[in-house]
Amino acid sequence: MTGIEMLSLALMALGCLFFVAGTVGMLRFPDAVSRLHALTKADGLGLVLIAAGAALAAGSAGWALRLALICGLVALAGALGAHLIARLVRTGGGR
Amino acid sequence: MDAMLVFDVALALALVGLAWAVLAAEDLFAAVVLFIVFGLMTALAWVRLAAPDVALAEAAIGAGVTGALLLATLRRIGGAESAETTPRPVLIGVGALAAAVTSGLGAAFLAAPAQGPGLEAAIAANLAASGVEHPVTAVLLNYRAYDTLMEVVVLFAAVVAVWSVAQAPEPATPLLGPLHAGFARVALPAAVVVGAYLLWAGATMPGGAFQGGAVLGAVAILALLARDYVPAPAHRAWARGAFLAGTAVFALVAAGVGFGPRMAFEYPPALAKPLILLIEAVVTLSIAATLAALFFGREPEPLGVEVEARK
């Protein structure tokens, strides 16, 4: 296994760890807003780490660019989703 | 043991578990969210089965647009329906239908030859004459174009039914705020590019009319939510044209090549690519317009009724 492959695997494993942490947070935290807090932070970083690992494994600038684009769009959509849920909670629509 | 086998078994178990969770969920909203997750996992399963075309369609239509349709429906019925209020004969009928479909699929799976050559060789041998380089698109738009035409007709029938049945005005969806509007401004152009690319890519690699149409339909749904587009009664003629265009162009081309020595759906090889691209482009727009109209859920009201509803 080359150094790049090991680095790529390590990045993806770290990313998975963030997803697990975010999921644990979502299951364990008491209310909607703190659950959102755990989920959005953890998943944002988790996705970027996994994408960085995948970009290293793919080993080409084109794929790295595509993955970066996906990260950017998911970050935007994720932030918007979290905002909309938080807004619903604040205005009393959520449970 | 193969590492991917572990993943595949976990994925299969997760699919069965999710399907059960959807059915067992007490709360309809939870059931819809679980169904969307189920759709995404199914897309992943299609990727593992080396069927990226189906995976794209499942993610875009099965999880994305169907999820939006179910959430819109949930808002309309207000979560009132549940297992307790559903009449018993309906429950039994639905259960019997689902069991029949499942056993039919199981029988077809068991009856199919487990190993040996499929139709890949025949498909590959005729690929040059099909007008496209991607075998899946060749099957969908050339070899088995009749089936695809029927799929387009199904969507058309669905929107005709929705416009015929649901005409009551209702309160508008709540505004989603400035952040959503800003997101729509960034995401809409990007998604339009993705949709058009999926359509174009279909000739040589996974993609095509249904995937591109679903993405463009999602663009239209976002635009509806952000009020970038407000359906007006005056747009009804255009909408009807858009719904019909896919079926009409597909059927006209299919029948049109049938004069003379050829049969219907038998494109002349020299014209196959432009004809397929024409059909796919129009069908893409039809699918996008139809999915957006299904999400909107009714014919735009005549002007007087709309004013009445706003008061």
Side-chain angles (χ1 to χ4, degrees):
Chain A
M1 194 182 276
T2 65
I4 294 215
E5 275 175 2
M6 278 171 72
L7 184 61
S8 148
L9 267 182
L11 281 172
M12 287 199 226
L14 196 61
C16 288
L17 206 65
F18 272 93
F19 271 101
V20 172
T23 309
V24 170
M26 191 188 73
L27 292 173
R28 303 282 300 171
F29 281 165
D31 57 73
V33 184
S34 42
R35 283 178 186 168
L36 269 182
H37 173 75
L39 205 59
T40 46
K41 303 283 181 304
D43 287 6
L45 196 52
L47 177 72
V48 170
L49 283 169
I50 289 178
L56 273 181
S60 86
W63 281 109
L65 203 66
R66 287 186 182 95
L67 285 161
L69 202 62
I70 291 172
C71 279
L73 286 173
V74 171
L76 275 180
L80 175 74
H83 160 76
L84 288 177
I85 294 173
R87 212 175 78 125
L88 192 67
V89 171
R90 230 187 65 152
T91 51
R95 280 151 296 172
Chain B
M1 193 158 59
D2 188 3
M4 286 324 278
L5 185 67
V6 177
F7 180 82
D8 289 344
V9 169
L11 184 61
L13 289 177
L15 277 173
V16 177
L18 275 169
W20 177 252
V22 171
L23 293 175
E26 293 278 320
D27 181 27
L28 281 181
F29 178 73
V32 171
V33 173
L34 282 166
F35 181 79
I36 295 171
V37 178
F38 177 77
L40 290 172
M41 288 294 142
T42 309
L44 202 55
W46 284 119
V47 171
R48 289 296 303 141
L49 290 168
D53 293 85
V54 192
L56 277 171
E58 175 64 37
I61 301 180
V65 176
T66 310
L69 286 178
L70 287 173
L71 287 174
T73 308
L74 196 57
R75 203 181 71 85
R76 202 153 294 157
I77 64 175
E81 301 261 333
S82 73
E84 285 82 46
T85 60
T86 311
R88 198 156 191 85
V90 175
L91 283 178
I92 293 172
V94 171
L97 273 177
V101 170
T102 307
S103 24
L105 281 175
F109 175 74
L110 291 176
Q115 295 290 332
L119 294 171
E120 291 97 334
I123 290 170
N126 293 295
L127 200 55
S130 73
V132 289
E133 290 97 73
H134 184 51
V136 174
T137 309
V139 171
L140 289 180
L141 268 301
N142 198 332
Y143 311 151
R144 301 299 301 257
Y146 181 73
D147 298 2
T148 309
L149 173 61
M150 286 303 117
E151 286 173 26
V152 180
V153 170
V154 166
L155 265 181
F156 179 62
V159 80
V160 168
V162 164
W163 271 32
S164 310
V165 173
Q167 287 175 328
E170 58 176 272
T173 47
L175 267 177
L176 294 175
L179 225 60
H180 181 267
F183 173 76
R185 266 200 299 280
V186 176
L188 291 191
V192 169
V193 173
V194 170
Y197 171 75
L198 276 174
L199 164 66
W200 176 251
T204 51
M205 54 180 135
F210 279 86
Q211 294 88 342
V215 171
L216 292 180
V219 168
I221 290 173
L222 256 181
L224 281 170
L225 285 172
R227 303 274 170 82
D228 287 336
Y229 170 65
V230 181
H235 301 165
R236 281 182 295 184
W238 286 102
R240 287 197 180 98
F243 302 152
L244 183 62
T247 308
V249 169
F250 204 154
L252 282 178
V253 170
V257 297
F259 289 105
R262 296 175 186 282
M263 300 200 316
F265 290 102
E266 190 185 351
Y267 318 123
L271 282 176
K273 176 142 193 179
L275 285 179
I276 287 177
L277 274 180
L278 170 73
I279 292 172
E280 283 216 288
V282 182
V283 165
T284 300
L285 291 179
S286 255
I287 290 173
T290 304
L291 292 176
L294 290 177
F295 177 78
F296 190 67
R298 64 190 188 282
E299 200 173 341
E301 299 86 7
L303 223 56
V305 181
E306 197 176 27
V307 172
E308 197 80 14
R310 282 226 182 99
K311 273 179 192 163

